[in-house]
Amino acid sequence: MHKINEITKTRVDNLLKEIDFPSQYRDYVWKSDNWEDGFPDIFNLEKEIRTAARVGAITRNHLVAVAKWGGLPNVGRIKIHEPLRFMIFEDDKVASWAKNFPENVIRVLEGQIQGFGPTYTSKLLRFAAPEIFGAIDTRIVRVFGKGVHGKNPNQILDLNATPIDGRWAILSSQAAWPREYATWIVILTYICDKLNESRICCPHPRIFIDEGLRVEGKWLPADVEMALFYYASTILSHRGGIMNGIY
């Protein structure tokens, strides 16, 4: 199991003081997904991909659905041998090796999927097991990563996002990838635990609770990631640095 260093922990604790997580979660918007409508696309993707992942039946269609939701161009480049060799569940729970070493799950997927980079590989995991995983996207890395000159006082990730052909990308060639995905999961889990211990409830849309995807009020790492994504989006919007249509 990975741990975060004291500097990172202090910065994460500062985020907990600064950010109203329930508000950021409620304000999250991506395409058709918004809180008032019950995050319908996220709900459908979670329900479908969670079910497929638990029986080892993830197909290319699932990957294409995630890619289209996120705005990935050139979905025709996505190639796999169906179904994915992706068995991370034991007795309907994420296996300890996957839970404790998320970077190894990334490696397993990267070895089988063409056309996905770090962002979309992590999104697939987020929909497959939101109780353990969250996505790591370019907005998160641009706000919480190393920064252009490696001097970001809010840095909690040893990663950079790179502009390529009018959009941003997290390059898998970085020395810290996929190690820093494990750091990200530890951070999301830490924030989850703090919010749940403090009884700061997550305002899940009712449909997630009724369908058994969430326990009322209890944060999961994927929920924290949604709040941080919206927070990062707001920061970038103030900087004038968001490229529309790319998650």
Side-chain angles (χ1 to χ4, degrees):
M1 174 69 79
H2 294 258
K3 295 182 179 180
I4 53 177
N5 60 45
E6 286 303 313
I7 293 175
T8 300
K9 182 177 177 294
T10 297
R11 290 174 177 172
V12 173
D13 285 337
N14 289 338
L15 287 175
L16 277 160
K17 296 174 185 176
E18 176 183 346
I19 298 175
D20 182 338
F21 278 86
S23 176
Q24 297 295 301
Y25 175 86
R26 194 182 291 110
D27 289 343
Y28 173 100
V29 175
W30 178 254
K31 295 185 177 179
S32 298
D33 281 314
N34 60 77
W35 182 82
E36 288 80 4
D37 291 336
F39 301 133
D41 292 339
I42 290 174
F43 171 81
N44 289 329
L45 283 169
E46 266 197 31
K47 195 171 181 182
E48 184 175 350
I49 293 175
R50 280 167 62 109
T51 299
R54 276 159 174 73
V55 294
I58 290 181
T59 67
R60 182 179 181 276
N61 286 340
H62 293 115
L63 274 62
V64 169
V66 172
K68 288 182 175 179
W69 173 80
L72 180 69
N74 300 321
V75 296
R77 295 175 54 207
I78 300 171
K79 295 180 181 179
I80 66 168
H81 292 292
E82 296 186 15
L84 281 179
R85 296 189 302 278
F86 181 67
M87 292 300 295
I88 63 169
F89 292 93
E90 295 177 353
D91 299 325
D92 205 39
K93 293 184 178 180
V94 175
S96 58
W97 73 267
K99 182 178 180 180
N100 294 334
F101 300 98
E103 71 276 25
N104 288 342
V105 186
I106 292 286
R107 291 187 179 103
V108 168
L109 291 175
E110 286 182 338
Q112 298 183 66
I113 302 173
Q114 294 182 40
F116 265 19
T119 295
Y120 283 85
T121 305
S122 73
K123 289 187 193 309
L124 179 62
L125 282 177
R126 176 257 181 271
F127 288 118
E131 67 272 28
I132 301 295
F133 303 117
I136 186 166
D137 67 273
T138 57
R139 295 187 189 181
I140 292 288
V141 172
R142 289 167 66 195
V143 171
F144 298 117
K146 292 191 291 187
V148 177
H149 303 293
K151 295 181 180 180
N152 179 6
N154 298 315
Q155 179 184 342
I156 56 177
L157 294 165
D158 186 24
L159 291 171
N160 273 327
T162 303
I164 299 176
D165 297 331
R167 66 187 188 96
W168 292 89
I170 302 169
L171 300 182
S172 60
S173 57
Q174 296 179 75
W177 183 263
R179 183 192 69 235
E180 281 301 271
Y181 182 67
T183 300
W184 180 234
I185 298 309
V186 171
I187 289 169
L188 294 180
T189 303
Y190 177 81
I191 294 173
C192 250
D193 291 344
K194 290 293 183 182
L195 293 172
N196 290 330
E197 289 168 5
S198 300
R199 298 185 180 180
I200 299 172
C201 295
C202 184
H204 302 112
R206 191 73 223 175
I207 191 170
F208 281 79
I209 299 164
D210 292 343
E211 289 292 322
L213 298 179
R214 295 294 187 278
V215 174
E216 187 165 7
K218 184 177 179 181
W219 291 87
L220 297 185
D223 304 324
V224 174
E225 175 246 302
M226 287 173 65
L228 289 174
F229 171 82
Y230 186 77
Y231 174 82
S233 298
T234 302
I235 297 295
L236 292 172
S237 179
H238 290 160
R239 295 178 189 171
I242 283 184
M243 295 178 182
N244 292 329
I246 302 295
Y247 189 164

